[in-house]
Amino acid sequence: MAVAEQTTSVAAVGSTSAWRRYGQNALIILDSRVGTIGLAIVLFWFFLALLSMVWTPYPPNASQFEQNLWPNATNWLGTDHLGRDLLSRLMTGAQVILIKTRLPGGIAIPGGVAIWGVFGSLVLGVAMGLTAGYYGGWTDQIIMQILDALIAFPRIILYLVVIAALGQGDWVVIIAITVTGAPGVARLARSLALDIKNRDYVLAAQTRGESAFYIMFREILPNARGPLLVDAMLRIGYAIFAIATLGFLGIGLPPPDPDWGNMVNEARSYIFNNPYAVLWPSLAIATLVIGLNLFADGLNEETSRYQR
Amino acid sequence: MSSSTVLSVKNLAIAYKVRGGEIEAVQNVSFELKEGESFGLVGESGCGKSTVAWSLVNFLGRNGYVKRGSIMFQGEELTGRSPEELRQMRGNRITMVFQDPMQALNPSMRLGDQLTEVLTVHQSMSEEAARKRTLEMLERVHMPDPASVMRRYPHQISGGQQQRVVIAMALLNNPALLIMDEPTTALDVTVEAAVLDLIAELRETFNTAILFISHNLGVVARVCNHVGVMYAGEMVEQATVREIFKNPRHPYTQGLIRCVPRLGADKASSMLYPIRGRVPPPNQRSSGCVFGPRCDYAQDRCVAERPALHTLSADYSSSSAPHSVACHFAEDIVFADWQPPADMELPVQKNGAFTSGQEPIILDVDALKKYYDVQGNSFLDLFGLGEKRQVKAVDGISFSVPRGMTLGIVGESGCGKSTLVKTIIGLESATAGQADFMGFDITKDLNDRDAELMEELQMVFQNPDSTMNPSYTVGQQIGRPLLRFGKIPKEQVRAEVVKLLHSVRLGENYYDRLPRQLSGGEKQRVGIARALATRPDLVLCDEPVSALDVSVQAAVLNLLLEVQQEYNSTLLFIAHDLSVVRFFSDYIAVMYLGEIVEIGPAAAIYAPPYHPYTEALLSAVPIPDPDAEQKHIRLSGSVPSAINPPSGCHFHTRCPRRHLLPDGGKICAEQEPPWQQVTEGHRIYCHIPVEQLAEFEPVITTAVATIHSLGG
Amino acid sequence: MLLVSLLLFFMVEYGRGDVTIKILGIESTQAQRDSYRNQLGLNQSPLVRYFTWLAGNDWWLKDRVGRPLVTVYNPQTKEPEWWVRGNAGELLRWQMDGGDLFELVRQEDGSSIQRPAPDDIWTTDANGIPEFWGLNNNNSAVRWIRGEGATIQVRTKAGFREEGDSPVEFIPLSKGLIRGDPGESLRTGRPVSASLPGRIQKTGVLAMLAFIVVMPLALLFGVIAGINEGRWTDRIISITGLALTATPEFVTGVVLILVFGIWLKWLPAVSVFFSDQSILELLSSWDSAKILVLPVITLTAVELGYVARMTRTSMVEVMNSSYVRTAIIKGMPYSRVVLRHAVRNALIAPITVIMLHVNWLVGGIVIVEVVFGYPGLGTYIYDSAIFGDFNAIEAAAMVTVAIAVITRIIGDVAYVLLNPRIRYA
């Protein structure tokens, strides 16, 4: 009720540094139990991924053990059908999703495929959505028609088409995620722009003759970032889901790095001998997606409380 | 009148559990309510009025509960009852009417079903009997065509009718107690007046006890016989309605009465005295007197000890009924002897406010029109094949404003006043007509305007919560127009912003604050500072104070008056509150359905001869004085759609004076009325001859209370 | 839809790269690929091919051939064939043998009789070369040069075979997508229109079953969670729902196969159809229909969580609305508040979103069908995409897009019906 809302907001003290403000904003997630749990799960996987850059129990691609071992003292999570250590593969599998992207020519850049993919759809989607929402009229009609056309495609087909078109590769997956994600982001950004553009402060900016660019990116965007951020978190979850699915279909991230979806696919033929080889990567995908969802829920709860 | 007590609340305290503890939203509230009586609970927002009401129907949400005290209803204790017992009581013996009728009705259920279920559930009445009873009740609340209303959905009837339905719903079971929580706040003034009439009438015929919650003293004065004033969760004063207005004893009550303009008062002859500070949130209330930090009379005792509600002895009370006050010094404080403290921000009155005629015209609008295309709701429209229709939001408006003056524009919602402002500022382009501002053509929208022109035309917005961008600091937002128009070198911007902050009475420490750290009044001040940054010649104010609490409203109005003089700005002031407009403006235009029906000097508008619509508006204004005698003129029906405004005079469908003309005012429906010149600058748009209009009785016969007069 | 088709066509067009490499293998020679491209009519401009794909080309090719083009059903292959109607009403195709052109005259049973082509069919082109536009045995409009059979590389099951006596230019005949002919599948060599309907039917049954199971359950759980906001029932439903949504279909599917198919052996682990078994036959007895159980459960699991969570959100919002508050304060019993006042309003939002969500369902179906080997639209899309079978993938994708568009319209209509506020006059 009305009374409950006032308690958290007054405490914040004015500070000159915008960064400190963002820092404070970031900390509010800890007020939400759900959000904290989600954050913990996500950080756990980030940690494993980072750790695997410098250390894994065994080389992830070396077939140095007996095949299809169940969990034991040497191989904590068992081995797969080629005698590779599952824990090492699982840890390495998190890398490409979360913290590194392999570009053609053997270069790797920081930021995982899922993260770059979502970043791409954010940039593209926000630009289109803000433009459509702010200008309205014909601009809006045209952009929305194109987006509707894209949305009408089932995602999986877009993925298949993009991959059939460009072949396999980390950057192809990023493009696929960008293309499939952008329409959704654009719709959200558009609805936010439609809402915010009628706020008085935007009218005030218009009455002093600010450019459309300034209004879209300086007046509207900063106030839309909460919902967009929440949406982006959910989208990283979807992206991981999609990467796994593509991996399962054998058209996802290319070798040599292990891919969770592909691990499930390879192991399912041996499921009778060693269900763990299916279980671990499945759990990995599910927990990471759940973690991101919970984190997004918490973020949503807290930002909506904080904003008013 | 029987005097059996219906409701008796004693020492009520309500608490909400929140993270890290609990908050006592309401403390020490006691009052009694007898059969046939109506008790008004007044106070600003956040004072706990609604919380008290919710506790009576046991609807405090999951985290709220009655912490102390008792609620006796018809001799039975309500606290500690089982939810099922309370449920049977709710809607049967205790009913409630809410602020926003549109929200309160289920959008996907027919009104008839929503009404009859009250009877079928509580009284096991048959469907048929219930329908019959419901129809009768709808007739009693003067609902036109009740049978068809029963078949409709809420969105198909007007706001005033919706509120009648909600009231009918509340009365169906003949309740002993009817709680009304701001029942007319969401309604327009003429509709509000009709609903208040209805409430007063029902009180007499049903003999129901009414608990009436409102922030508006005028509304309370009209329908209540007892009043309790709440502040920061406490009851601070309680007496009969006449006593409260004639002999207020608590400094807060006094402050409330002083800070609202009386209808007819103007800035030249009276002043508004704001209450300093603002209502503290529940967790920051002082341990002594809750009002202490804002009180002019506060002494050490007020900080140390919380005053209890005590009944005044007959020497200090002017009525026979008990008058109780929660103030240590209630007996010593005399309302009439109050002097504004030296540090109060009051505008210095300029002399000769009415030296009009010499000032050059700064804004000249001629036959301005703004039409919008609308999309219809039929399947044809879905495919763009429907008939093209237009909303005639502004339909041929002409006026001019001299430099340094204030033109107030009044009218009910939908009359086009906001569209007019948007067209002048350039957020919309005009459909037709001329508008000239200091030699600039302002019929085009902002895309086609020069920076030079934009600098001179700025706007103050209505909603404090959206007037500032939540992402930037106060300093950045005030500084932006300075940078944008390159008024001053970059390194001096900060100094200039601080100067502007000072002129809206905010300190330099506000420079780095974010909007969420400001109160509504402070945000509005920042909005004013931002509008003034470029020193514009014309400032458009779109309901700048209507979203603020009354005590804050007074401060912001005073500030506007002051900066207007300091910056010599011309103002266009829009408001729906006639008292505020009258107080604030030099000239006033009254709008109805996209047209100005009357325009002239402020004083002239408020006395005959006036347009029948102006007359109706004036007679609808709730006056915070139970002794004021107001002529009873009510408009029938609701405002017609601006898509297809009535022919001839737009007002003819509702005009209460139309019968004065031959043939029942046939001409009104056929011909547009002529502009009749009354005096210099005072024009009326009506078929009825001025001589006849001048013969009308003035709407308000009681003289404006003298306590406000200058130097008071 | 038109925009979608354009987008789809050019995406596939520019996306797929040189389809011939994919089909013929990397070891194929450039000459083989070129020849094959020619036979597929891929040498025409993309725009021409787009319009052909969309609206067919028989209506302008008939002018080139000079006689009406007709399709006739072949009782032996059970596929439609293109023929030219001769002046006497007979149906004709042409074939070259040793440099001489022969007419094939169609007989009632679908076979044909060969007879020499008359001389007067030859015309002379701008360069003075005698040429003739006719139809070959592969349903293509082709250009023959008199006396000069070209040599082409013909793809057969065994590999490539050089063949003489061939026309020099090929334009595969098509009625076009909007007239129900999406072309020929490269993978199977059969018309896409012949295999697609059966696939759609099978997938339709699967999706419908999943829908019938999901909707009531999800709405029920969502409503229950919504009215118990914050309590343990809500927590359990929300978290289970989230877990189900976050688990990819292939994981759920594989686990279900493991448990029910392999350990318990209650249900078949894969969905094997006997050849040509129609979906109706399948559904006629439990024994054959039970192959559907696991796929349906897998689809249900994923959708259930999503829809339930959405319903919950909507329900929570409605339960906190003023009109529900009014109903409570009117003293209505709780059950009545929920059933009469809240549920209908709460379902408005999910229903529209569910309809938009069909795209997602299609994605799920692809995976589920692949996991279970279910021969529906999903596996068809997947196989075609892997193969680079552009006609098939374009047609199948258009089908899914059509489904998406139709469900969206259904969603809009449902929204209007449920919400009296926007009921159209």
Side-chain angles (χ1 to χ4, degrees), chain C residues 47-66:
Chain C
L47 211 59
V48 170
R49 299 206 305 106
Y50 170 69
F51 284 111
T52 303
W53 173 71
L54 192 68
N57 53 8
D58 53 322
W59 44 272
W60 62 270
L61 280 172
K62 74 168 191 267
D63 293 340
R64 195 167 282 188
V65 175

Side-chain angles (χ1 to χ4, degrees), chain A residues 3, chain B residues 11-14 24-30 42-52 68 229-236 252 279-282 285 290-291 306:
Chain A
V3 183
Chain B
N11 286 324
L12 185 67
I14 298 161
E24 280 197 26
V26 167
Q27 299 165 324
N28 307 329
V29 168
S30 309
V42 289
E44 295 172 273
S45 56
C47 283
K49 311 182 294 283
S50 294
T51 310
V52 170
R68 284 188 303 273
V229 181
M230 280 191 77
Y231 179 77
E234 299 215 3
M235 185 74 85
V236 294
Y252 177 62
V279 182
R285 286 174 189 158
V290 281
F291 187 62
R306 184 168 288 197

Side-chain angles (χ1 to χ4, degrees), chain A residues 4-15:
Chain A
E5 286 156 15
Q6 295 176 328
T7 45
T8 39
S9 60
V10 193
V13 187
S15 73

Side-chain angles (χ1 to χ4, degrees), chain C residues 257-309:
Chain C
I257 289 176
L258 181 69
V259 176
F260 293 99
I262 297 177
W263 289 346
L264 299 172
K265 297 206 190 311
W266 284 356
L267 294 161
V270 286
S271 309
V272 184
F273 274 74
F274 301 107
S275 61
D276 289 343
Q277 187 182 21
S278 89
I279 195 73
L280 288 173
E281 290 169 60
L282 184 82
L283 289 172
S284 58
S285 83
W286 165 247
D287 253 3
S288 54
K290 68 185 180 186
I291 60 164
L292 288 169
V293 175
L294 288 184
V296 167
I297 294 179
T298 311
L299 275 178
T300 306
V302 176
E303 286 299 295
L304 185 68
Y306 184 82
V307 180
R309 271 165 69 81

Side-chain angles (χ1 to χ4, degrees), chain C residues 115-194:
Chain C
R115 70 179 187 207
D119 261 5
D120 59 353
I121 59 170
W122 297 102
T123 55
T124 313
D125 75 353
N127 300 328
I129 299 165
E131 57 161 19
F132 165 64
W133 275 94
L135 241 63
N136 73 351
N137 275 327
N138 264 335
N139 294 320
S140 291
V142 292
R143 184 160 69 97
W144 308 89
I145 307 272
R146 187 166 198 178
E148 283 179 43
T151 306
I152 55 163
Q153 303 279 344
V154 177
R155 181 170 154 253
T156 64
K157 288 218 167 82
F160 275 92
R161 181 159 50 83
E162 257 186 38
E163 217 178 74
D165 290 329
S166 161
V168 290
E169 205 177 308
F170 300 81
I171 303 176
L173 275 165
S174 162
K175 279 189 170 176
L177 191 67
I178 51 173
R179 285 153 69 204
D181 175 17
E184 192 170 87
S185 162
L186 298 177
R187 190 163 54 90
T188 60
R190 301 178 62 208
V192 174
S193 58

